[in-house]
Amino acid sequence: MCTSTLEHPHTHQHSTTDGAPLSYADPAQQPRELERTIEAGDHFIGLVRAGQHLRITDLHGNQAADTLFFSADDTAERYSAMDTVREQGKVYLTIGTVLYSTRGRPLLTITGDTCGRHDTLGGACSSESNTVRYDLEKRHMHSCRDNWMLAIARYPKYDLTKRDIGHNINFFMNVPVTADGGLSFEDGLSGPGKYVEMVAERDVYVLLSNCPQLNNPCNGYDPTPVAISISDSPLG
């Protein structure tokens, strides 16, 4: 599956089956209410305005949604795993967790969670990690870093470059910390229809890669679609 290379940003019309854009080239043109299905191996980039609710749903279960957040006012300010873990005193994310930025300011707060655990320590797959973890022949398999790079190339109005790709959250992913302080990639804890919901504390950009990873059990060796919803009202 998936041996894609980066495409020219102006040669691809990225839309849903009903013709609506999956992501908007200009975030200012994005409607306030939005629901989209993101196929395995695809990406979404969009705006969540202050006070709005963002829900990510694991449609089939056992999937991983690798997600980055940025302040829409200044994309140099982005999600920080270190600040988030330090401020909440826990390594796993769930209801009540405030997602902090690199400047120590709240970006979003998790308000609903039917999965119960989300990882922010394991990082995202890339051609380099696929090679190191699995096999030299895995280098050209599709990865979350490829997805993010493709999104920022296609949507320049979000003012993101590869320098902005930093800490991420692996929603629905099960990466326990072992007794000796290591990380273990385990079977997912999620199931069909389980979701995580957040409220934005400020205007934020969300950049999501629906993980195409076939080489570890975190998405059951069978990547499946996720859904994303943005609304002025709580979705939970």
Side-chain angles (χ1 to χ4, degrees):
M1 172 181 174
C2 297
T3 55
S4 70
T5 56
L6 296 183
E7 303 169 35
H8 190 280
H10 303 299
T11 60
H12 184 86
Q13 183 63 41
H14 209 207
S15 61
T16 57
T17 55
D18 63 0
L22 179 60
S23 301
Y24 284 80
D26 183 348
Q29 300 302 314
Q30 178 184 303
R32 294 190 68 89
E33 305 280 335
L34 181 146
E35 292 186 9
R36 295 289 185 269
T37 297
I38 306 161
E39 299 296 330
D42 210 340
H43 60 261
F44 172 86
I45 187 169
L47 170 65
V48 187
R49 297 171 176 89
Q52 283 196 304
H53 298 260
L54 166 68
R55 176 184 284 194
I56 304 170
T57 303
D58 187 0
L59 293 176
H60 296 275
N62 219 29
Q63 179 60 2
D66 292 41
T67 308
L68 301 165
F69 295 106
F70 305 87
S71 171
D73 296 331
D74 179 2
T75 53
E77 181 180 13
R78 52 188 178 267
Y79 170 73
S80 168
M82 291 182 294
D83 288 271
T84 299
V85 169
R86 184 192 65 234
E87 290 300 317
Q88 70 161 347
K90 299 176 183 176
V91 296
Y92 306 119
L93 314 182
T94 187
I95 292 177
T97 299
V98 177
L99 308 181
Y100 283 91
S101 75
T102 48
R103 295 175 186 166
R105 301 196 300 171
L107 293 176
L108 305 101
T109 299
I110 297 178
T111 55
D113 180 12
T114 60
C115 176
R117 178 182 291 190
H118 309 276
D119 166 68
T120 193
L121 300 178
C125 58
S126 64
S127 60
E128 291 81 7
S129 66
N130 284 342
T131 303
V132 171
R133 286 176 179 165
Y134 308 115
D135 191 283
L136 183 61
E137 294 181 353
K138 309 292 187 184
R139 179 177 180 80
H140 300 290
M141 295 185 72
H142 203 64
S143 71
C144 286
R145 184 174 173 82
D146 286 348
N147 274 343
W148 292 332
M149 293 287 286
L150 189 55
I152 63 178
R154 284 175 174 166
Y155 301 100
K157 281 206 170 185
Y158 289 82
D159 194 29
L160 296 169
T161 73
K162 63 181 180 181
R163 292 183 63 183
D164 297 310
I165 294 177
H167 305 167
N168 73 294
I169 298 172
N170 297 307
F171 287 113
F172 311 116
M173 195 166 170
N174 183 24
V175 185
V177 178
T178 63
D180 60 358
L183 295 177
S184 176
F185 293 83
E186 302 292 343
D187 286 341
L189 300 173
S190 187
K194 290 188 178 291
Y195 65 84
V196 60
E197 186 165 329
M198 294 151 271
V199 62
E201 306 294 348
R202 62 189 66 248
D203 288 356
V204 296
Y205 293 146
V206 52
L207 174 54
L208 185 151
S209 164
N210 191 18
C211 185
Q213 184 58 253
L214 288 166
N215 301 295
N216 73 51
C218 287
N219 50 9
Y221 307 100
D222 181 24
T224 51
V226 301
I228 192 166
S229 304
I230 298 172
S231 174
D232 287 337
S233 304
L235 295 153

